[in-house]
Amino acid sequence: MFDNYFRKEIPWGGQILTLETGKVARQADGAVMARLGDTIVLCTVVGARNVKPGQDFFPLTVNYQEKAFAAGKIPGGFFKREGRPSENETLVSRLIDRPIRPLFPEGFRNEVQVIATVLSHDGENDPDMVAMVGCSAALTISGIPFFGPIAGARVGYVDGQYVLNPTLPQRKLSQLDLVVAGTAEGVLMVESEAQELSEDVMLGAVEFGHKGFQPVIEGIIALAEVAAKDAWALPEEDASLAALRNRISALGAAPMAEAYKETQKLVRQGKVGEAKKAVVAALEAEGLDAAAAKGMLKQLEADVVRGAILDTGMRIDGRDTKTVRPIMAEVGVLPRAHGSSLFTRGETQALCVATLGTGQDEQIIDALVGEYRERFMLHYNFPPYSVNETGRMGSPGRREIGHGKLAWRAIRPVLPGPDKFPYTMRVVSEITESNGSSSMATVCGTSLSLMDAGCPLLRPVAGIAMGLIKEDRGFAVLSDILGDEDHLGDMDFKVAGTEQGITALQMDIKITSITFDIMRTALGQAKDGRLHILGEMAKAISGARGEMAATAPRITVINVPKDKIREVIGTGGKVIREIVEQTGTKIDIEDDGTIKIASTSPEATQAAIDKIRGIVAEPEVGVIYNGKVVKTAEFGAFVNFLGAKDGLVHISELANERVNRTTDVVKDGDAVKVKVIGFDDRGKVKLSMRVVDQATGADITEQVGERRPREPREGDGEDRPRRERSDRGDRDRGDRPRRERRDD
């Protein structure tokens, strides 16, 4: 039935990677079922046969989606079905998109859609790398023009050793979580989070991963040799276009070069626009096809900018290749925020605001691996005004989610643990100006705002974006790239870290690959730039403030015995709700007996602590407590004195003189001071009021003396004949049957 079914098994990192095609999704141009362990991802590719009229860009879409059934789960929420992409699905979609996009031929404009669907997840092998490999295989066999295949691998670093494709449990022990993707010849993409590792360790991890996925590339090629469809024919370039390109260069090279001498972004953009209009007008006057000139003018821009850098070593804003733009860092810019900063680097600016919360503010994430909580959130926003544009305002797009996650990875390794800083942290980065590397400005601004909020970071973190111009005649690595250098260059290489090492690294290559020598140069140059930026940041703040903002909650941590947690919570949460309502605090209780009390008022915090302590504390003999009379009886008064605990003040302990009636001394609801004088044979607490000064709470036992039992009389004691005592009882009570006497 499946005539074109093919299967390839590839030994990879101690496991078997299986790629099969021809059985599922047979109407797609390319479909591969990729499997590692019991993690299975279906990867499909479909390309449009025709280009839409007027299409002047390559419309590639990558969608990675996780199905809840893959982990044996039913989706949460009201609708009980998968909804909009989660943050992780969006990030993995970008992870797959970035290394495959540069490998489509220049000028290819057919729409291509790549879909990766997680069908099974074994809880050990992350589906993201399986999906990347499966998508590469599906593209390679589809016949769609694609200069692959690519492969990807995850690299861990445990006990000084690199680990290829660590499982999810192994990743918890790793100092590094790095993903590298590329072709057989070189690296195209890197994404990582690290525990302050050196440049040499990071570069070694990239090399290790590149070598590690070579068997996968060979396996995809072997599969394509038997399963690939006929390659699509690409339209040949019209010979007239070459003549048009030459004419555009002749008309526009000099004006474009002059326009790019302007160092101010908006002014430069205006001059570049005028130069383009002049070229188009000249083409129209000569009767040439001005409509085809748009893409060629973009290429002319690239040639002018790239050539100037390689020839002169000077960039479009007047800097050399290593200089970082002027930096200004400020903290405490918003009076009501818990922490805030304004970080400005050249024409890029980020306003970062930190907010501190309690455990109730943690983000609950429902993932295939299970539900977990996140105590640090970083949200990046890129409003259109930041680049002098108008645009749609709404939920964050893929770019905003990706940039925010990169900054999150850079900061997370230096955050204090919950035992040192028991707060939930949220930082919002508003990009107010942008001309290159707003994500790295977010890293710097986030570090500053958290320190301003009093968060004791291990060390401050800074980030820098590196660029690359690579031609046959040489290459140049650029520090702190501008937006134009990003668009017209060959690499976007972002490095974040502390003075001790790298915490995050992201690299995207726009050409087929780069060498490790270029990467080594870029990492060394990035380190110099990062240390310079950290020095500028330290002028604003170098460590956590000693005092948090008055508007920030203060969290006090106390511990109670595990067996007392139920008493603190109460039936149906009644007790803890009452404490929260009465004190106005927020209270989080953990299973190990840790209780976190949050409030902006020290008095409210202390009141909550006193109530909780009262519930879990055990009464001690000789200790004086404040109490409240809850019930009176002929023989004494019951007093609530320690949380929910009650004790009895016998009528003889109400006052030092003789008391005829309990209500002569106390009434229900009276506030009293009592001393624990002992416990009866059932463990009930015996209290005394007479030995405590009710006005001051002082112990006056020595003044009033202790109650002494009456002196023994003749006949008392154990030597008294038992029958005699029984006869006396019979005489007192009459000759009633023994059973009746016992009932009395």
Side-chain angles (χ1 to χ4, degrees):
M1 182 176 180
F2 303 112
D3 296 333
N4 296 314
Y5 173 76
F6 301 97
R7 176 186 175 93
K8 181 67 179 176
E9 293 186 352
I10 307 166
W12 190 32
Q15 299 190 74
I16 298 297
L17 171 68
T18 303
L19 304 176
E20 62 176 40
T21 186
K23 184 177 180 180
V24 179
R26 292 172 294 164
Q27 295 185 45
D29 289 320
V32 170
M33 191 84 78
R35 176 171 182 166
L36 189 67
D38 283 339
T39 294
I40 302 173
V41 185
L42 172 63
C43 304
T44 63
V45 176
V46 175
R49 295 307 190 271
N50 300 303
V51 180
K52 293 180 180 179
Q55 186 80 43
D56 60 354
F57 66 95
F58 173 40
L60 170 67
T61 304
V62 178
N63 296 101
Y64 168 86
Q65 53 187 2
E66 296 176 338
K67 299 298 182 181
F69 61 71
K73 299 172 61 178
I74 295 175
F78 181 79
F79 293 103
K80 296 299 177 186
R81 68 174 299 164
E82 290 81 4
R84 69 177 184 178
S86 66
E87 180 180 277
N88 183 65
E89 289 172 314
T90 299
L91 293 169
V92 177
S93 296
R94 284 171 49 88
L95 201 67
I96 297 169
D97 182 299
R98 285 154 48 196
I100 66 175
R101 186 174 290 272
L103 299 182
F104 289 89
E106 186 177 353
F108 184 65
R109 298 291 183 263
N110 300 60
E111 183 176 1
V112 175
Q113 185 177 42
V114 179
I115 300 176
T117 306
V118 180
L119 303 180
S120 177
H121 182 34
D122 60 12
E124 292 189 357
N125 296 290
D126 200 315
D128 56 0
M129 290 298 94
V130 182
M132 180 181 290
V133 169
C135 291
S136 172
L139 278 166
T140 303
I141 68 173
S142 68
I144 296 172
F146 176 65
F147 300 145
I150 67 152
R154 176 171 269 105
V155 179
Y157 191 65
V158 181
D159 297 330
Q161 300 293 321
Y162 296 119
V163 180
L164 184 65
N165 291 334
T167 61
L168 291 172
Q170 287 177 315
R171 286 165 62 181
K172 295 179 180 179
L173 305 174
S174 179
Q175 293 178 272
L176 173 68
D177 182 12
L178 180 142
V179 171
V180 56
T183 62
E185 292 76 27
V187 174
L188 287 168
M189 186 273 297
V190 177
E191 183 90 51
S192 67
E193 178 183 337
Q195 302 290 333
E196 294 185 289
L197 297 179
S198 69
E199 282 73 12
D200 288 339
V201 171
M202 297 298 290
L203 184 59
V206 175
E207 292 181 299
F208 179 81
H210 183 254
K211 292 178 182 177
F213 64 60
Q214 295 305 312
V216 177
I217 290 180
E218 295 170 3
I220 294 175
I221 293 173
L223 178 67
E225 288 175 347
V226 296
K229 297 179 179 179
D230 293 338
W232 291 16
L234 289 175
E236 296 183 3
E237 185 179 22
D238 190 338
S240 63
L241 294 179
L244 178 62
R245 186 177 293 108
N246 292 333
R247 185 58 183 153
I248 289 173
S249 180
L251 291 169
M256 197 74 74
E258 185 65 27
Y260 269 105
K261 290 180 180 179
E262 174 58 53
T263 59
Q264 296 297 318
K265 175 186 174 182
L266 295 181
V267 177
R268 181 172 62 248
Q269 287 179 343
K271 290 184 176 182
V272 170
E274 291 173 2
K276 288 181 179 180
K277 289 178 182 178
V279 171
V280 171
L283 292 175
E284 291 175 343
E286 296 177 10
L288 298 175
D289 184 6
K294 184 176 181 180
M296 296 180 185
L297 285 169
K298 190 70 175 177
Q299 184 59 49
L300 177 61
E301 281 188 77
D303 293 341
V304 168
V305 172
R306 296 162 65 90
I309 292 173
L310 291 176
D311 293 339
T312 67
M314 300 301 292
R315 297 155 67 177
I316 56 181
D317 62 350
R319 289 181 292 151
D320 60 24
T321 58
K322 296 182 179 180
T323 300
V324 177
R325 288 172 289 175
I327 291 172
M328 183 171 65
E330 303 174 62
V331 295
V333 296
L334 299 179
R336 298 292 295 175
H338 299 166
S340 60
S341 70
L342 185 67
F343 180 84
T344 307
R345 186 187 59 242
E347 296 169 307
T348 296
Q349 187 179 75
L351 174 65
C352 296
V353 186
T355 306
L356 305 179
T358 67
Q360 298 173 23
D361 299 309
E362 291 179 344
Q363 183 178 15
I364 302 174
I365 299 175
D366 185 15
L368 286 183
V369 294
E371 185 178 284
Y372 64 94
R373 292 175 175 266
E374 181 57 60
R375 61 186 287 262
F376 173 52
M377 294 157 278
L378 197 158
H379 298 143
Y380 165 103
N381 297 313
F382 192 88
Y385 68 76
S386 65
V387 287
N388 192 35
E389 294 179 358
T390 60
R392 183 186 66 87
M393 295 289 290
S395 57
R398 286 189 173 192
R399 180 182 180 277
E400 290 177 299
I401 292 173
H403 279 44
K405 192 66 173 183
L406 173 60
W408 179 89
R409 290 191 179 104
I411 297 294
R412 191 172 72 146
V414 300
L415 291 176
D419 55 329
K420 294 183 179 179
F421 195 68
Y423 291 88
T424 297
M425 295 157 282
R426 180 185 184 235
V427 176
V428 177
S429 173
E430 296 287 341
I431 303 303
T432 54
E433 292 183 43
S434 181
N435 186 14
S437 191
S438 56
S439 62
M440 294 297 95
T442 294
V443 171
C444 301
T446 297
S447 179
L448 292 168
S449 67
L450 284 172
M451 290 188 291
D452 185 49
C455 177
L457 299 180
L458 185 63
R459 273 171 285 276
V461 182
I464 186 171
M466 312 297 293
L468 173 70
I469 303 297
K470 183 175 180 288
E471 299 287 355
D472 293 338
R473 55 196 172 104
F475 72 90
V477 174
L478 313 178
S479 294
D480 183 22
I481 57 174
L482 303 173
D484 287 337
E485 293 169 338
D486 184 4
H487 300 149
L488 304 176
D490 298 321
M491 176 181 75
D492 183 9
F493 193 3
K494 298 182 175 76
V495 186
T498 68
E499 61 181 11
Q500 298 292 323
I502 294 172
T503 57
L505 186 153
Q506 178 179 292
M507 182 181 71
D508 291 304
I509 304 301
K510 302 172 187 178
I511 53 180
T512 53
S513 64
I514 65 170
T515 65
F516 288 106
D517 286 338
I518 293 177
M519 287 186 61
R520 187 174 288 107
T521 300
L523 280 170
Q525 201 165 309
K527 180 178 181 180
D528 294 339
R530 184 175 82 245
L531 294 177
H532 167 73
I533 296 170
L534 284 169
E536 295 299 303
M537 291 167 54
K539 295 177 182 178
I541 189 170
S542 59
R545 290 195 186 279
E547 287 291 330
M548 294 190 298
T551 55
R554 269 64 171 178
I555 294 182
T556 303
V557 181
I558 63 174
N559 291 279
V560 302
K562 288 184 185 180
D563 57 356
K564 298 291 185 180
I565 294 176
R566 181 178 297 179
E567 296 180 29
V568 176
I569 296 174
T571 304
K574 178 182 177 182
V575 174
I576 196 67
R577 280 199 304 271
E578 287 180 352
I579 296 175
V580 169
E581 291 170 0
Q582 292 170 5
T583 63
T585 58
K586 287 185 177 181
I587 301 177
D588 296 325
I589 303 177
E590 299 178 8
D591 293 340
D592 63 353
T594 300
I595 298 180
K596 299 175 183 177
I597 304 166
S599 176
T600 57
S601 166
E603 293 77 14
T605 298
Q606 190 58 50
I609 291 174
D610 292 342
K611 289 179 178 296
I612 294 172
R613 291 294 190 201
I615 293 172
V616 302
E618 295 293 339
E620 299 180 37
V621 174
V623 176
I624 295 173
Y625 298 94
N626 292 320
K628 179 180 179 181
V629 177
V630 292
K631 183 181 178 181
T632 57
E634 291 184 4
F635 49 83
F638 291 97
V639 175
N640 174 236
F641 70 98
L642 190 60
K645 292 181 175 61
D646 294 341
L648 174 65
V649 181
H650 191 268
I651 192 170
S652 62
E653 294 293 337
L654 287 173
N656 200 44
E657 62 276 2
R658 179 180 177 83
V659 177
N660 294 320
R661 290 193 300 271
T662 301
T663 52
D664 291 342
V665 179
V666 293
K667 295 180 176 60
D668 291 357
D670 284 356
V672 296
K673 295 177 175 62
V674 293
K675 178 181 178 180
V676 177
I677 58 175
F679 303 90
D680 65 15
D681 54 3
R682 293 178 297 172
K684 301 296 183 181
V685 183
K686 296 192 292 185
L687 304 173
S688 174
M689 285 175 54
R690 72 178 188 86
V691 296
V692 182
D693 187 320
Q694 294 300 307
T696 65
D699 190 335
I700 55 174
T701 303
E702 294 183 359
Q703 301 176 28
V704 301
E706 294 185 3
R707 293 278 189 201
R708 295 185 178 182
R710 61 181 174 82
E711 294 293 328
R713 291 178 297 181
E714 184 180 355
D716 287 345
E718 289 298 323
D719 56 345
R720 184 177 179 180
R722 186 176 300 274
R723 181 59 190 168
E724 180 182 345
R725 290 197 300 271
S726 175
D727 290 344
R728 187 185 70 175
D730 288 346
R731 287 194 299 271
D732 291 342
R733 297 172 184 168
D735 295 327
R736 290 178 294 174
R738 184 177 302 273
R739 175 64 182 171
E740 186 177 340
R741 291 199 306 273
R742 189 159 54 241
D743 289 345
D744 287 344

